[in-house]
Amino acid sequence: MLDQSMLHITTPFGRRSLTAAQIRAQAKADGCPNEITVQKWTVLRDITEARAPLGLSAPSLAVLDALASFLPEVALRIGEGPDLVVFPSNRALALRTRGMAESTLRRHLAYLTEAGIVIRRDSPNGKRYCRRGRSGQIAQAYGFDLAPLVARAAEFARMAETVRAESLALRAARERLTLLRRDCMKLIQALEAGEGALIAVEPLRGRYGAILGALSRHPTCAGLDAVGDALAALAADVGKRLLAHQEDPDLSGSAGQIERHHQSSKPEPVDLEPVGTMGREDAAAPRFVSAAASVLARAGEGGSAAQLPARTTYPLGLVLDACPDIQDYARGGINSWRDLVDTVGLVRSMLRISSHAWDEAREVMGEDAAAVTVAAILQRAEHIKAPGGYLRALVERKRRGEFSLGPVLQALTRARLQVQSGRRKSIAGLVTQGRGAGVRA
């Protein structure tokens, strides 16, 4: 226990005021036992790691290293004399701090003093110097006392250990969050790409985005743990749904089930006549669908037996063969259902289909089936003057169970084959005429 009656607190020179931090630093230094010995560079390394809680910056640490370099001993110990007082000039300090300006030096020396790491031992005139005895030993020194490096060494070590532990926990939380983000995204993609998956993934994507949106720019360990727990719960929910989908035979369509798809035995012929008088976009389908445009609507009346989304019933290649025009608007080609949905999201505004109508179609039909429907409308766009109202009419038919995509795709495929066949016949006729003209000549 420090004998406060023997404590002598030195005050700074000039206009500098005595602060509470300086008083505490001197009290701790005077109360430190003389037998304590610390390693200089170990203490400086602990202070460097604990610089944030100490309120120190990199330039302040550079000044502290420069002051410590004037102590030749590596093992520091508080003795009876001014063994830990250094008294370098500003020029000498500037050289050891790689040319730091004197105003900057004074500012960071004040920071170190206020942090209780350095004690000012000012002379009567404020200059730094020492007095030596007859034997050449330093009897009195005025400058900066580094005794707090010894007196507070254990405190600095505890602070550095706390900072290291927090840094390790933060790194572990970041790694856990990175893994959970990867797991959530790939589980959602697996659920989306699974054969016969009936579960809409948009709510899961929205939940994933909402969780990450709550993450601050500079998150703490607690914030990372909270977001990690939310992502872990999301991954567990998606994993359960994915496992349930794989284990339930009713959710995976087999080849036999696809073969038993019901459709009309009397398909409607494709009429390539242009559309006549059209109504408003929001009007009912009979007011604006002509014989040519009603091919899609009548094809959808094949019955409600095939209510599965397009992904579970029709391959993507079949859809692209029936609706090849949609590929002209894809940025990097259509290689997956997600590419098709993204491309349709761009095309629907060109077709003047409102976002509300598109969202309603995705909700009622399913995202993939809605994308195939819009692709089919694009394929017949020259015969449909109000695609937005037409899509709404098909959505209402879907609600009533009167619309399916199988006959639609078959009708579009037949129309495409008929056009190709007509072109081949025309080319053959031209070739025959050319040969006949050559013979007559």
Side-chain angles (χ1 to χ4, degrees):
M1 183 67 180
L2 175 64
D3 186 1
Q4 297 183 0
S5 63
M6 300 298 295
L7 175 62
H8 175 68
I9 298 177
T10 60
T11 59
F13 172 80
R15 297 181 180 180
R16 299 189 188 97
S17 59
L18 184 65
T19 64
Q22 296 174 13
I23 296 174
R24 288 194 299 268
Q26 293 189 39
K28 289 182 179 179
D30 290 342
C32 180
N34 294 338
E35 62 272 10
I36 294 181
T37 302
V38 299
Q39 296 297 315
K40 176 174 61 176
W41 302 117
T42 301
V43 177
L44 291 177
R45 184 166 57 250
D46 290 340
I47 293 175
T48 300
E49 293 189 1
R51 63 186 179 275
L54 288 172
L56 299 178
S57 61
S60 298
L61 295 175
V63 174
L64 179 61
D65 284 347
L67 290 174
S69 66
F70 288 98
L71 291 174
E73 299 84 1
V74 176
L76 304 182
R77 179 179 179 181
I78 296 179
E80 296 295 336
D83 295 338
L84 299 182
V85 178
V86 294
F87 40 89
S89 64
N90 287 341
R91 186 171 181 273
L93 275 176
L95 288 175
R96 297 204 182 186
T97 54
R98 306 297 187 266
M100 186 178 292
E102 288 192 11
S103 59
T104 307
L105 275 174
R106 288 192 292 269
R107 184 169 66 253
H108 291 291
L109 285 170
Y111 293 157
L112 292 171
T113 303
E114 189 61 28
I117 299 176
V118 170
I119 300 174
R120 284 185 177 273
R121 304 289 186 184
D122 290 347
S123 65
N125 59 4
K127 295 185 180 297
R128 303 170 203 147
Y129 59 91
C130 71
R131 293 188 184 279
R132 298 181 183 272
R134 291 183 179 182
S135 61
Q137 296 293 328
I138 297 177
Q140 184 67 41
Y142 299 101
F144 300 104
D145 191 354
L146 300 182
L149 296 182
V150 180
R152 301 180 62 187
E155 177 187 353
F156 295 146
R158 288 194 300 270
M159 295 175 67
E161 185 61 31
T162 301
V163 171
R164 283 192 290 266
E166 291 176 353
S167 177
L168 182 61
L170 185 63
R171 186 164 59 250
R174 287 183 182 276
E175 291 175 355
R176 175 175 178 252
L177 184 64
T178 300
L179 293 175
L180 286 171
R181 289 180 62 179
R182 182 185 70 189
D183 292 344
C184 287
M185 282 304 301
K186 293 198 173 183
L187 284 172
I188 292 175
Q189 291 173 0
L191 183 62
E192 182 184 14
E195 283 286 337
L198 298 179
I199 305 172
V201 298
E202 285 303 319
L204 298 175
R205 291 183 182 273
R207 181 178 168 187
Y208 175 79
I211 292 173
L212 293 184
L215 196 63
S216 62
R217 186 177 181 85
H218 300 287
T220 61
C221 187
L224 290 174
D225 288 338
V227 174
D229 292 341
L231 287 177
L234 175 61
D237 292 343
V238 179
K240 289 178 182 178
R241 295 186 181 184
L242 191 60
L243 289 175
H245 158 65
Q246 292 179 352
E247 293 174 358
D248 192 347
D250 295 335
L251 294 180
S252 57
S254 63
Q257 291 172 340
I258 297 176
E259 290 295 331
R260 291 193 294 272
H261 173 71
H262 297 283
Q263 63 183 34
S264 176
S265 60
K266 296 181 179 180
E268 296 288 344
V270 178
D271 189 358
L272 300 180
E273 292 291 334
V275 178
T277 304
M278 293 297 163
R280 291 172 20 181
E281 177 176 329
D282 291 336
R287 297 179 56 187
F288 62 83
V289 181
S290 67
S294 62
V295 170
L296 299 180
R298 291 196 301 270
E301 294 176 356
S304 59
Q307 297 297 327
L308 295 176
R311 180 183 304 176
T312 63
T313 308
Y314 313 105
L316 180 61
L318 175 63
V319 174
L320 296 180
D321 287 341
C323 310
D325 291 354
I326 191 66
Q327 301 183 72
D328 297 337
Y329 301 90
R331 295 175 178 175
I334 298 178
N335 301 313
S336 64
W337 286 102
R338 172 52 52 187
D339 294 340
L340 177 63
V341 173
D342 293 342
T343 304
V344 168
L346 299 175
V347 170
R348 63 95 184 162
S349 59
M350 182 195 70
L351 293 174
R352 292 175 298 179
I353 297 176
S354 64
S355 59
H356 181 269
W358 170 237
D359 293 339
E360 186 180 15
R362 289 192 298 175
E363 180 181 356
V364 175
M365 297 180 173
E367 189 173 57
D368 299 333
V372 175
T373 303
V374 175
I377 293 176
L378 173 67
Q379 194 66 29
R380 305 289 296 171
E382 59 182 354
H383 304 296
I384 301 175
K385 295 296 182 64
Y390 186 51
L391 179 62
R392 292 180 186 274
L394 295 181
V395 170
E396 291 302 321
R397 292 192 177 193
K398 181 65 177 179
R399 281 199 178 101
R400 297 193 300 267
E402 300 174 356
F403 178 77
S404 63
L405 282 171
V408 173
L409 296 177
Q410 289 186 1
L412 290 173
T413 302
R414 285 196 302 271
R416 185 184 177 194
L417 293 176
Q418 289 176 3
V419 172
Q420 292 177 351
S421 176
R423 289 177 180 175
R424 286 195 296 269
K425 291 180 180 179
S426 299
I427 293 174
L430 290 175
V431 171
T432 302
Q433 292 179 4
R435 289 176 179 175
V439 171
R440 288 193 299 270

